[in-house]
Structures are given as structure tokens and as C-alpha cells.
Amino acid sequence: TRSRRQDNSVNYLEMLPALLVSAASFLGPLPVQQGPVVTQRRASAPVASVERRGVLAGFAAAALAATPAAFAATDSPYSLKKDYVVDAKNMLENMKTATELQRGNPEMETIVKSTRAEMNDFVAFYRRQPKISGMPSFSTLYTAINTLSGHYASYGNKYPVPEKRRTRLAQQYKEIERALARGK
């Protein structure tokens, strides 16, 4: 779970300068309160005090300015669109891609990690919806997800799916496509 968050999350350190600049632009000039002049050796200049409300408003504005960039960064083929038919077809294609990978493929580990993260997100989101979780396409897809996820949990992200398991998954993929085509 830790590596999944690192792979799919927005890198906030890269966005920090943009956040600070946008916060400063929303703040405008800071109010200066004239305080008593303290005399030590020489008189000091007026001290600027920053009010908590101004700082919070700046951070809120910066967060809102960065929100579209954060959502644009998550628009990948491995992210959920919150539309079951679209997500199920996308999940199916990504699972097929992960299933067909051969040993030695340089992108195998990244594809498998992304697919595993998408499988977890897919199940977590749609399992709680009774209308969808009762559909034949969902139950078969759930079985295929468990099969593929179990394989990678046991053998790791770099070991390809064996032929016998690949054949069974291909059969399940066909059933899922048929059920989705019928709208079930």
C-alpha cells in the first residue's frame, strides 16, 4: 500500500512553489500595524504582523488553485471514472494486458503495480453498491480480479501468469465481455 501511494499520488513537493506563489497572489499586501517603537540602541521600523485569517485564506486559495492540477494528474488509464460500464471495460483491458505479459518485459513491474492498484480501487468502490455488485459481470470480474491478484500476491510483480491460469482467466474475460455487452 505504501508503494501504491507513492506511484499514483501527486507529488506535492513539486507543486509547492506554485502553491506558495498562488497563495501570495491571493493575499495581496499584508496589513501593517503600527506598534510602539522599541528603543534599544536605535529605533526599529514598524513591525508587520500577519493575521491568522489572512494566512488561512491564502492557503485555502492555494489549495483551490492546485485542485484542477491534482485531478488532471490522476487522469490515467488506471484510474476509475466512477461509471461502472466504462470502468469495467477499462479494468478488463488492463487485466488482459497484465495477464499477457511475458518474462523479461521491461514495463512488467509498472504495469502490474498499476493494474493491482486499479483492481483494489475497483473492488473497493463497486463492491459497496448493491445494484452493481449483484450483476453477473461484476461477480465474474470479481473472481478474475481475485485470481490475478492472488497470483501476484503469491509470486510477485515480476513473475508472469502461468499458461493454465492464463487460459482460465481468458475464459472469464470472455464471460465478462458477454455480460457487459448484454448490460448485465
Side-chain angles (χ1 to χ4, degrees):
T1 56
R2 170 175 258 174
S3 62
R4 188 179 127 231
R5 269 188 243 130
Q6 290 171 350
D7 291 341
N8 290 339
S9 66
V10 176
N11 188 352
Y12 292 106
L13 291 178
E14 291 176 357
M15 292 175 44
L16 188 60
L19 288 173
L20 293 175
V21 168
S22 60
S25 67
F26 281 106
L27 277 178
L30 293 174
V32 176
Q33 292 180 350
Q34 294 289 337
V37 177
V38 179
T39 53
Q40 292 175 348
R41 290 188 185 168
R42 57 188 163 138
S44 64
V47 178
S49 69
V50 179
E51 293 181 14
R52 187 181 329 173
R53 183 177 296 159
V55 172
L56 290 176
F59 281 124
L64 287 174
T67 301
F71 283 120
T74 60
D75 192 29
S76 75
Y78 297 100
S79 64
L80 294 180
K81 311 297 186 260
K82 310 295 186 199
D83 177 11
Y84 174 71
V85 176
V86 172
D87 287 340
K89 288 179 180 179
N90 191 31
M91 179 82 259
L92 190 59
E93 288 305 312
N94 291 336
M95 288 175 66
K96 284 180 181 180
T97 302
T99 304
E100 296 300 321
L101 292 173
Q102 298 295 323
R103 183 182 291 273
N105 188 326
E107 296 180 347
M108 181 166 192
E109 192 167 7
T110 56
I111 290 172
V112 170
K113 280 183 180 180
S114 300
T115 303
R116 288 181 73 183
E118 185 188 9
M119 289 189 297
N120 288 334
D121 294 343
F122 183 88
V123 169
F125 184 74
Y126 289 112
R127 171 176 53 192
R128 296 175 282 140
Q129 299 179 18
K131 286 186 176 180
I132 292 173
S133 63
M135 297 173 78
S137 63
F138 180 80
S139 61
T140 309
L141 186 54
Y142 190 81
T143 303
I145 287 172
N146 280 339
T147 302
L148 193 58
S149 183
H151 166 76
Y152 290 123
S154 297
Y155 298 103
N157 296 336
K158 295 180 181 178
Y159 190 78
V161 178
E163 188 59 39
K164 190 173 181 181
R165 189 170 292 138
R166 188 180 303 150
T167 304
R168 188 172 75 224
L169 282 169
Q171 189 177 26
Q172 288 174 342
Y173 295 157
K174 286 179 185 175
E175 288 178 35
I176 296 164
E177 286 174 339
R178 279 193 298 249
L180 286 172
R182 291 190 314 249
K184 295 184 179 190

